[in-house]
């Protein structure tokens, strides 16, 4: 496990959507410090300590734990994929400062961590590329980034955690088309946001503290099957209907 290099506290200058990565980062750091934690994430703790930002603005609301539950579910899906395909390729789309590689890597898989250039610049101050792990600085909407992951030959697990809901629907459709065309057999994990959440986000405990706004309102993830005939929805969960294996790994309190 590669711990991030420690450097003096630094201020970050990120675009509006990019800033949202600090919410799940802080969520994992706060969770990691609990005596009974859903996950341990020393790297997140160190990054929060190293970044000069008012993280406390996100304290007190339910969102932090929500981000940890979500990442826990994505971890479960990636683990299941790597159990079946230990030499497979994982692509983190909109990786932010997520540390899934630190939690889930099996020592064999290929990992690509894609995000916008300012995020990758920040990410590079904490993590380094290796022969199996590479950062890619690009928008998911610009297909040029796909060459490197395509060179591994797959199979592919694409994880877009807390990313697509920030894009307008036409961009989400473009991203889904691009991913489906370049990685036709891939598994794609993503989260959707329903109309209630999009309408009330100005009073949301975490989103009300940042500029970025959710744009893609998706009442039912099954709609994606209509967007891409031939694709199949394999699983869909909410925080109250987590898979048994995920639920069983949660701390008692
Ligand atoms: C809420 S954060 C989630 C970060 C990470 N997936 C996690 O769960 O910790 C949203 C991320 O999506 C990234 N993002 C937004 N639009 C993007 C785009 N067009 N291409 C790639 N990444 C994008 C942002 O820069 C940010 O890192």
């Amino acid at each position: 496990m590669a711990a991030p290099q420690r450097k003096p506290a630094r201020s970050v200058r990120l675009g509006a959507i990019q800033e949202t990565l600090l919410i799940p980062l802080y969520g994992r750091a706060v969770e990691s410090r609990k005596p009974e934690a859903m996950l341990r994430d020393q790297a997140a703790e160190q990054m929060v300590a190293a970044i000069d930002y008012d993280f406390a603005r996100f304290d007190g609301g339910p969102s932090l734990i929500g981000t940890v539950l979500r990442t826990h579910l994505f971890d479960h899906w990636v683990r299941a994929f790597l159990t079946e395909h230990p030499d497979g390729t994982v692509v983190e789309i909109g990786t932010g400062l997520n540390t899934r590689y630190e939690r889930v890597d099996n020592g064999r898989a290929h990992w690509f961590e894609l995000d916008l250039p300012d995020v990758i610049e920040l990410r590079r101050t904490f993590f380094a590329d290796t022969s199996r792990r590479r950062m890619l600085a690009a928008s998911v909407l610009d297909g040029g980034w796909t060459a490197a992951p395509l060179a591994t030959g797959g199979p592919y697990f694409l994880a877009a955690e807390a990313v697509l809901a920030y894009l307008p629907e036409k961009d989400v459709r473009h991203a889904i088309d691009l991913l489906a065309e370049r990685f036709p057999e891939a598994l794609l994990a993503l989260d959707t946001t329903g109309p209630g959440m999009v309408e009330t986000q100005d009073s949301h405990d975490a989103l009300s503290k940042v500029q970025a706004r959710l744009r893609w309102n998706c009442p039912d993830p099954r709609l994606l099957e209509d967007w891409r005939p031939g694709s199949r929805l394999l699983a869909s969960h909410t925080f109250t209907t987590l898979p048994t294996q995920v639920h069983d790994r949660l701390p008692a309190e």
Side-chain angles (χ1 to χ4, degrees), residues 17-18 20-21 24 94-96 98 115-116 119 139-140 161-163:
I17 298 189
Q18 295 90 315
T20 61
L21 70 86
T95 185
N98 206 321
D115 211 307
L116 298 167
V119 174
S139 167
V140 64
E161 179 181 354
V163 179

Side-chain angles (χ1 to χ4, degrees), residues 1-234:
M1 172 172 133
Q5 303 142 29
R6 297 190 84 161
K7 294 200 175 161
R10 76 212 68 163
S11 55
V12 288
R13 280 206 286 166
L14 294 170
I17 298 189
Q18 295 90 315
E19 181 188 4
T20 61
L21 70 86
L22 299 170
I23 305 171
L25 171 69
Y26 187 54
R28 294 195 315 281
V30 168
E31 182 67 20
S32 183
R33 289 195 293 257
K34 292 180 183 168
E36 294 271 323
M38 225 184 293
L39 52 78
R40 295 282 167 215
D41 194 336
Q42 257 193 329
E45 290 182 54
Q46 290 170 4
M47 287 188 277
V48 164
I51 292 172
D52 180 16
Y53 181 82
D54 174 23
F55 287 99
R57 72 180 68 181
F58 303 129
D59 280 336
S63 288
L64 292 184
I65 193 84
T67 65
V68 181
L69 274 169
R70 183 181 60 213
T71 229
H72 197 46
L73 174 60
F74 275 62
D75 283 2
H76 163 73
W77 280 329
V78 175
R79 273 194 198 97
F81 169 76
L82 292 181
T83 300
E84 210 171 322
H85 306 288
D87 300 304
T89 296
V90 179
V91 185
E92 296 266 0
I93 295 164
T95 185
L97 289 175
N98 206 321
T99 43
R100 181 156 297 111
Y101 177 92
E102 274 64 32
R103 293 190 299 277
V104 177
D105 178 50
N106 63 357
R108 289 168 59 177
H110 292 275
W111 291 74
F112 291 90
E113 297 170 326
L114 169 81
D115 211 307
L116 298 167
D118 52 346
V119 174
I120 294 301
E121 192 185 327
L122 175 64
R123 195 173 169 88
R124 283 195 189 285
T125 67
F126 294 109
F127 301 98
D129 285 353
T130 68
S131 57
R132 292 191 302 105
R133 179 190 203 182
R134 244 179 91 180
M135 286 172 260
L136 302 172
S139 167
V140 64
L141 303 170
D142 303 333
W145 64 266
T146 59
L150 283 172
T152 70
Y156 297 99
F157 189 99
L158 315 174
E161 179 181 354
V163 179
L164 298 178
Y166 290 101
L167 306 181
E169 182 174 311
K170 73 168 182 27
D171 286 353
V172 180
R173 284 178 179 265
H174 176 70
I176 300 279
D177 284 344
L178 183 104
L179 297 174
E181 280 154 24
R182 304 278 169 98
F183 304 96
E185 305 293 325
L187 294 175
L188 169 64
L190 58 93
D191 50 302
T192 55
T193 302
M197 171 77 172
V198 173
E199 281 156 20
T200 59
Q201 58 185 315
D202 287 350
S203 50
H204 183 263
D205 63 294
L207 285 175
S208 62
K209 315 282 171 43
V210 295
Q211 275 183 5
R213 283 293 170 265
L214 299 165
R215 310 278 298 279
W216 178 37
N217 163 352
C218 178
D220 183 350
R222 211 166 287 277
L223 282 174
L224 295 178
E225 289 182 340
D226 300 334
W227 288 10
R228 294 290 316 179
S231 65
R232 264 190 317 136
L233 182 70
L234 299 179

